[in-house]
Amino acid sequence: MHDPTSQLIMMLDSSPPLLHHFGELARLSPQIPTPECNDLPSGTVVMKECCQLPLIDLGCLNSTTERERLACAEAICRASSEWGFFQVVNHGISPELVRNMRREQVKLFQTPFDKKATCGVLNNSYRWGTPTATCPKQFSWSEAFHIPLSKVSEQACYGEFSSLREVMVEFSAAMSKLARVLAGVLAGNLGHPRGVFENICQENNCFLRLNRYPACPVSPEISGLFSSFQSQDEAECPESVEHKVVAHGKMERYSIAYFLCPSYDSLIGSCNEPSMYREFTFREYRRQVQEDVKRTGRKIGLPRFLL
């Protein structure tokens, strides 16, 4: 049997000093208003624990019946447009691979905080909290590793975490394949060839992000970062389209996000002519997102799905 006391000590030892930094922000901004629906930005979709996301069977994309294939594609496009989030089943990623990835993820995050922050594992990509936060509502109760796909296979990125590399390589390849299938469906819906993303979404532009949301004693006043093509655990409570997950008071949470991104020089524009908006590059988009996060603590993003 596992010793609950030992597990608690390990959890505290591995967690970053989130409560201390949150306390400092709260001291400077003592009033933490509870957000009302009317206070949320226009277009925000808030999903409660009891809310059921659209569930899509991706096996229908390979159906021998054209009607089933078209119905599945339509469901994907409708969920992306109306919800910005959807769950998928029969996606082709084996349960064993997902379990192995979760096991290695938990092992990595259970490493003592000081070691995670200094050992340089996963391309020295360890991050926690929100360094730019100026008030409690901008603070992300989370820690993460954010690694480019081009670095996933490099042995030097793993150090002593050698068992993580094999699983990461296999998992990132599976997520990349799945993300491109779904992106192709969305591209087809907009009148583009389904393979349009193959040339502009290269490995050095795409990322895999491992997230952990420690149990939060000040929940539910605080949120954590939540992102893109996502593998989640049973405790996850998504809150779209702001990339946030409500922190849990007693239970830690884990998720894995895959970011399918175009090259920084790729132009983003309207599919309709005349365009309602000016064209801009993905580099400009990324810069604006970073500025928005610094200013508001919010990140508005593209449709995402959950395994």
Side-chain angles (χ1 to χ4, degrees), residues 12 18 63 96 101 106 137 140 147 150 178 192 211 298:
L12 293 174
L18 295 166
S63 172
E96 181 182 8
M101 186 67 242
V106 171
K137 71 177 182 179
S140 177
I147 180 171
S150 57
L178 176 56
H192 294 286
N211 299 305
R298 296 189 176 107

Side-chain angles (χ1 to χ4, degrees), residues 241-260:
V241 181
E242 291 188 353
H243 285 212
K244 289 191 176 181
V245 52
V246 177
H248 197 286
K250 298 181 180 179
M251 187 184 302
E252 63 178 3
R253 298 171 172 181
Y254 293 90
S255 67
I256 306 172
Y258 177 84
F259 295 81
L260 181 67

Side-chain angles (χ1 to χ4, degrees), residues 141-215:
W141 195 273
S142 65
E143 58 178 332
F145 292 90
H146 192 83
I147 180 171
L149 249 63
S150 57
K151 296 287 186 180
V152 165
S153 62
E154 292 187 7
Q155 185 68 53
C157 284
Y158 295 89
E160 67 183 76
F161 300 92
S162 56
S163 61
L164 175 62
R165 178 176 176 269
E166 181 179 351
V167 180
M168 281 272 286
V169 169
E170 186 179 358
F171 186 82
S172 62
M175 287 293 285
S176 178
K177 180 180 178 181
L178 176 56
R180 290 171 190 273
V181 167
L182 292 173
V185 170
L186 296 176
N189 184 62
L190 296 174
H192 294 286
R194 288 203 171 194
V196 68
F197 291 106
E198 292 299 322
N199 294 326
I200 63 173
C201 296
Q202 303 298 321
E203 279 195 352
N204 58 325
N205 301 119
C206 301
F207 294 84
L208 199 66
R209 183 182 180 105
L210 310 183
N211 299 305
R212 174 178 175 252
Y213 313 99

Side-chain angles (χ1 to χ4, degrees), residues 25 59-60 80 109 134 175 181 196 221 226 229 231 235 254 266 300:
L25 290 172
C60 294
S80 299
F109 278 111
T134 57
M175 287 293 285
V181 167
V196 68
E221 289 90 351
F226 190 81
F229 303 121
S231 172
Y254 293 90
S266 296
I300 306 300

Side-chain angles (χ1 to χ4, degrees), residues 208-245:
L208 199 66
R209 183 182 180 105
L210 310 183
N211 299 305
R212 174 178 175 252
Y213 313 99
C216 179
V218 291
S219 175
E221 289 90 351
I222 195 165
S223 301
L225 186 69
F226 190 81
S227 313
S228 287
F229 303 121
Q230 191 110 1
S231 172
Q232 59 168 1
D233 63 19
E234 66 279 0
E236 205 67 76
C237 174
E239 186 181 58
S240 176
V241 181
E242 291 188 353
H243 285 212
K244 289 191 176 181
V245 52

Side-chain angles (χ1 to χ4, degrees), residues 1-305:
M1 295 179 62
H2 295 290
D3 181 357
T5 303
S6 299
Q7 288 183 324
L8 178 60
I9 293 175
M10 180 181 295
M11 187 180 298
L12 293 174
D13 185 42
S14 64
S15 294
L18 295 166
L19 186 58
H20 171 75
H21 280 250
F22 179 81
E24 288 295 305
L25 290 172
R27 183 177 61 83
L28 297 174
S29 306
Q31 298 300 319
I32 307 176
T34 301
E36 300 293 339
C37 290
N38 292 336
D39 297 330
L40 295 172
S42 175
T44 299
V45 179
V46 178
M47 284 176 277
K48 305 296 185 181
E49 295 268 3
C50 60
C51 187
Q52 293 295 317
L53 293 173
L55 181 64
I56 300 175
D57 183 352
L58 294 187
C60 294
L61 286 177
N62 300 316
S63 172
T64 56
T65 305
E66 182 181 16
R67 185 174 63 179
E68 288 188 1
R69 296 196 302 270
L70 292 176
C72 184
E74 181 183 351
I76 292 169
C77 298
R78 184 171 59 252
S80 299
S81 175
E82 296 178 1
W83 286 78
F85 257 116
F86 56 94
Q87 300 178 84
V88 293
V89 294
N90 293 325
H91 42 67
I93 301 180
S94 73
E96 181 182 8
L97 176 56
V98 174
R99 285 194 299 270
N100 290 342
M101 186 67 242
R102 180 53 45 82
R103 181 194 66 236
E104 294 297 329
Q105 179 184 13
V106 171
K107 186 190 305 182
L108 175 64
F109 278 111
Q110 285 181 346
T111 301
F113 167 69
D114 289 342
K115 186 174 183 179
K116 284 184 293 191
T118 59
C119 70
V121 66
L122 292 183
N123 201 42
N124 196 30
S125 63
Y126 179 68
R127 301 291 184 269
W128 62 275
T130 311
T132 58
T134 57
C135 63
K137 71 177 182 179
Q138 294 180 356
F139 191 74
S140 177
W141 195 273
S142 65
E143 58 178 332
F145 292 90
H146 192 83
I147 180 171
L149 249 63
S150 57
K151 296 287 186 180
V152 165
S153 62
E154 292 187 7
Q155 185 68 53
C157 284
Y158 295 89
E160 67 183 76
F161 300 92
S162 56
S163 61
L164 175 62
R165 178 176 176 269
E166 181 179 351
V167 180
M168 281 272 286
V169 169
E170 186 179 358
F171 186 82
S172 62
M175 287 293 285
S176 178
K177 180 180 178 181
L178 176 56
R180 290 171 190 273
V181 167
L182 292 173
V185 170
L186 296 176
N189 184 62
L190 296 174
H192 294 286
R194 288 203 171 194
V196 68
F197 291 106
E198 292 299 322
N199 294 326
I200 63 173
C201 296
Q202 303 298 321
E203 279 195 352
N204 58 325
N205 301 119
C206 301
F207 294 84
L208 199 66
R209 183 182 180 105
L210 310 183
N211 299 305
R212 174 178 175 252
Y213 313 99
C216 179
V218 291
S219 175
E221 289 90 351
I222 195 165
S223 301
L225 186 69
F226 190 81
S227 313
S228 287
F229 303 121
Q230 191 110 1
S231 172
Q232 59 168 1
D233 63 19
E234 66 279 0
E236 205 67 76
C237 174
E239 186 181 58
S240 176
V241 181
E242 291 188 353
H243 285 212
K244 289 191 176 181
V245 52
V246 177
H248 197 286
K250 298 181 180 179
M251 187 184 302
E252 63 178 3
R253 298 171 172 181
Y254 293 90
S255 67
I256 306 172
Y258 177 84
F259 295 81
L260 181 67
C261 302
S263 66
Y264 282 103
D265 294 326
S266 296
L267 278 177
I268 300 173
S270 173
C271 291
N272 300 319
E273 295 294 340
S275 176
M276 297 176 59
Y277 312 98
R278 73 169 181 86
E279 289 187 339
F280 53 92
T281 65
F282 185 65
R283 179 179 286 105
E284 291 178 284
Y285 167 78
R286 288 280 298 167
R287 187 183 303 123
Q288 185 63 56
V289 166
Q290 292 165 0
E291 291 176 0
D292 291 345
V293 170
K294 288 180 181 178
R295 187 177 68 255
T296 68
R298 296 189 176 107
K299 179 187 288 187
I300 306 300
L302 300 176
R304 53 203 65 89
F305 67 86

